[in-house]
């Protein structure tokens, strides 16, 4: 299918925004159509479309507030997920509906699969244009079907063989507090969670916590069987920091004391140029659109990565997650 070719679902006009095809935009055929019931009526066709395209954008439907957005997400999957082992601060604004991030508006958030550093993760993500910003603030997406084949075989093979080792440090002076990350102030709850997820932990001074885990670098899509690049190495790696910031932090805390860092699973350092290659491939594959009020975007978390552009002005994009996938070997 090429850009401009349409495959309509009753009540909507469907048009892919990329040649691959990738990112299918579904525009309501008439005003005032509530999105949740419409998804419920066409759920199987929409799930098949999501398998084919990786990302669906719903535009022109009636989604007046966060609760209506939650109902639309539940039309795909009745049970939405909470958010444990957090990598960024978020606020819950409705039941299992969160702000997408509270990070500074000047900050570019690189492409990533949600929670690919964890032992389990959501299979589907839902984004809602609650208050689009006046300038910037898009949520670009990139297709693994375009990126994964372009990763050199020797890079894929080394990561597949060893996986990724993540080192994270939480505390009042580094990153976000462990109480926010694990949504509890009880150390025994954190210890149980880490034991069950195959994560080593160490309590450090000044109410700090260090965790070390070895995770997958690739994953297999549970519906389509495709193999995709699926890890957070290029985000957590020191090369993702400005050079002057990395130098100061390493000088003060050492490589193992940084808020977050990533290594090959055998403990060897990942080369900066390998991480730059991965980031560059995602940027080259990016597809973006300006948010409109009441837009809803559904992302297959295996088939697509997402990012966030810097912005100016008031902006609130909300997110929900569903269909927990547990990596083989965990429970």
């Amino acid at each position: 299918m090429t850009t401009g070719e349409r495959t309509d679902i009753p009540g909507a006009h469907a048009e892919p925004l990329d040649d691959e095809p990738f990112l299918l935009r579904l525009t309501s055929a008439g005003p005032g159509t509530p999105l949740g019931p419409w998804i419920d009526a066409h759920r199987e066709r929409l799930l098949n479309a999501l398998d084919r395209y990786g990302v669906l954008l719903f535009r022109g439907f009636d989604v007046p507030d966060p609760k209506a957005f939650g109902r639309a997400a539940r039309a795909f999957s009745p049970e939405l997920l909470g958010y444990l082992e957090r990598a960024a601060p978020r606020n819950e604004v409705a039941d299992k509906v969160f702000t997408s991030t509270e990070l500074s508006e000047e900050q570019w958030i690189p492409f990533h699969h949600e929670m690919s550093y964890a032992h389990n993760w959501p299979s589907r993500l839902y984004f809602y244009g609650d208050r689009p910003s006046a300038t910037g603030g898009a949520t670009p997406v990139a297709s693994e079907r375009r990126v994964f084949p372009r990763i050199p075989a020797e890079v894929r093979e080394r990561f597949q063989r060893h996986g990724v080792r993540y080192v994270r440090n939480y505390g009042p002076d580094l990153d976000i507090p462990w109480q926010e990350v694990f949504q509890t102030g009880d150390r025994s709850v954190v210890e149980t969670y880490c034991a069950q997820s195959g994560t080593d932990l160490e309590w450090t001074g000044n109410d700090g916590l260090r965790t070390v885990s070895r995770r997958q670098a690739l994953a297999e899509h549970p519906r389509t069987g495709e193999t995709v690049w699926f890890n957070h190495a290029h985000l957590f790696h020191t090369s993702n920091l400005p050079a002057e910031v990395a130098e100061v932090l390493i000088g003060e805390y050492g490589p193992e004391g940084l808020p977050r860092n990533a290594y090959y699973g055998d403990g060897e350092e990942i080369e900066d140029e390998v991480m730059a290659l991965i980031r560059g491939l995602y940027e080259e594959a990016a597809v973006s659109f300006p948010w409109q009020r009441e837009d809803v975007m559904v992302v297959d978390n295996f088939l697509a990565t997402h990012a966030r552009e810097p912005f100016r002005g008031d902006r609130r994009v909300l997110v929900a997650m569903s269909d927990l996938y547990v990596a083989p070997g965990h429970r």
Side-chain angles (χ1 to χ4, degrees):
M1 178 177 289
T2 59
T3 301
E5 190 175 338
R6 293 186 169 182
T7 303
D8 293 347
I9 296 174
H13 301 294
E15 184 176 14
L17 301 186
D18 189 72
D19 289 334
E20 192 172 346
F22 180 62
L23 207 172
L24 182 70
R25 181 175 61 199
L26 296 127
T27 305
S28 176
T33 302
L35 180 58
W38 185 83
I39 290 174
D40 190 57
H42 305 289
R43 182 175 182 272
E44 286 306 314
R45 291 186 68 175
L46 292 169
L47 287 175
N48 289 335
L50 187 61
D51 286 344
R52 181 179 183 188
Y53 290 90
V55 180
L56 305 179
L57 172 63
F58 299 95
R59 175 162 287 176
F61 290 88
D62 184 33
V63 196
D65 54 38
K67 289 184 178 180
F69 166 59
R71 288 193 293 271
R74 286 181 173 90
F76 271 105
S77 297
E79 296 296 327
L80 300 183
L81 303 176
Y83 187 40
L84 285 181
E85 204 172 340
R86 301 182 177 197
R90 300 188 184 199
N91 292 317
E92 189 171 4
V93 301
D95 183 29
K96 301 296 191 299
V97 173
F98 304 88
T99 54
S100 57
T101 180
E102 297 295 329
L103 294 177
S104 167
E105 64 187 48
E106 293 88 10
Q107 187 170 347
W108 170 270
I109 300 176
F111 288 92
H112 61 284
H113 294 282
E114 194 67 31
M115 296 187 68
S116 63
Y117 53 82
H119 73 294
N120 57 24
W121 52 81
S123 298
R124 288 198 285 270
L125 313 174
Y126 311 87
F127 294 90
Y128 172 55
D130 189 32
R131 292 197 299 267
S133 54
T135 304
T139 304
V141 287
S143 171
E144 278 295 344
R145 290 168 174 151
R146 178 171 295 173
V147 170
F148 184 66
R150 298 181 62 192
I151 299 174
E154 62 271 19
V155 173
R156 294 200 307 265
E157 290 164 4
R158 183 167 184 184
F159 273 95
Q160 184 172 20
R161 185 165 61 251
H162 296 295
V164 181
R165 178 177 179 265
Y166 298 105
V167 179
R168 300 184 65 182
N169 288 275
Y170 314 102
D173 303 320
L174 277 173
D175 206 28
I176 52 181
W178 59 266
Q179 294 90 339
E180 168 75 11
V181 172
F182 295 99
Q183 293 292 285
T184 181
D186 188 336
R187 291 190 176 198
S188 66
V189 172
V190 177
E191 290 167 354
T192 299
Y193 178 89
C194 288
Q196 292 176 345
S197 64
T199 302
D200 296 328
L201 86 165
E202 175 188 357
W203 297 107
T204 58
N206 194 23
D207 199 28
L209 171 66
R210 174 178 297 159
T211 62
V212 180
S213 59
R214 183 179 178 274
R215 304 294 187 218
Q216 80 297 317
L218 283 66
E220 182 178 302
H221 193 288
R223 282 171 60 94
T224 71
E226 295 167 271
T227 299
V228 297
W229 190 253
F230 198 88
N231 63 77
H232 251 62
H234 63 288
L235 268 78
F236 285 7
H237 192 260
T238 54
S239 62
N240 196 45
L241 294 169
E244 63 276 10
V245 173
E247 183 178 358
V248 169
L249 288 175
I250 293 173
E252 185 168 354
Y253 299 106
E256 295 280 297
L258 298 178
R260 54 194 76 181
N261 204 349
Y263 304 81
Y264 290 112
D266 61 359
E268 293 294 316
E269 292 188 1
I270 303 173
E271 300 83 355
D272 290 358
E273 55 269 26
V274 171
M275 297 290 85
L277 168 71
I278 300 299
R279 286 190 288 267
L281 290 175
Y282 282 129
E283 290 166 8
E284 290 170 10
V287 177
S288 186
F289 62 90
W291 280 108
Q292 293 185 13
R293 170 81 178 114
E294 299 187 54
D295 278 353
V296 171
M297 180 171 68
V298 182
V299 176
D300 185 307
N301 194 34
F302 287 83
L303 297 180
T305 57
H306 64 281
R308 190 205 69 181
E309 295 179 355
F311 64 94
R312 293 199 304 272
D314 187 28
R315 176 191 188 271
R316 191 168 82 160
V317 172
L318 304 181
V319 65
M321 303 173 286
S322 74
D323 297 270
L324 187 70
Y325 178 87
V326 181
H330 295 280
R331 58 185 175 87

